[in-house]
Amino acid sequence: MNEIEYSNGNLLFKKKDKATSFYVLKAGEVQLFEPDQNKILAVLKPGASFGEQAILAGGVRSVSAKAVGKVVCV
């Protein structure tokens, strides 16, 4: 598996992006948020997986995801 690193504040994906993969959070935290309302929906911790719902629901992201601190995903 390939590891991908993100710096604090980097977007992993944006709402309405095409979904081609899902993530497993290895280190750091990821905020899932609704950009239109600037509302945080969840803060994910290491071990969490995310992004799979968009793949199953037609391939479009329904929320945005942002790194909190240094983040490592596989």
Side-chain angles (χ1 to χ4, degrees):
M1 286 187 218
N2 294 331
E3 289 188 359
I4 305 169
E5 293 186 12
Y6 299 91
S7 298
N8 186 48
N10 286 151
L11 289 177
L12 283 70
F13 53 80
K14 297 183 295 188
K15 181 178 180 178
K16 298 185 181 176
D17 280 351
K18 183 175 179 176
T20 58
S21 60
F22 75 97
Y23 301 79
V24 176
L25 185 56
K26 187 172 177 181
E29 295 182 349
V30 171
Q31 285 182 350
L32 299 180
F33 67 99
E34 169 52 63
D36 300 330
Q37 300 171 357
N38 199 26
K39 180 178 179 183
I40 297 170
L41 304 172
V43 178
L44 306 177
K45 309 281 185 192
S49 63
F50 58 101
E52 67 278 2
Q53 184 176 1
I55 293 171
L56 299 174
V60 178
R61 303 289 183 196
S62 60
V63 298
S64 295
K66 178 171 60 174
V68 179
K70 180 181 175 184
V71 166
V72 178
C73 292
V74 291

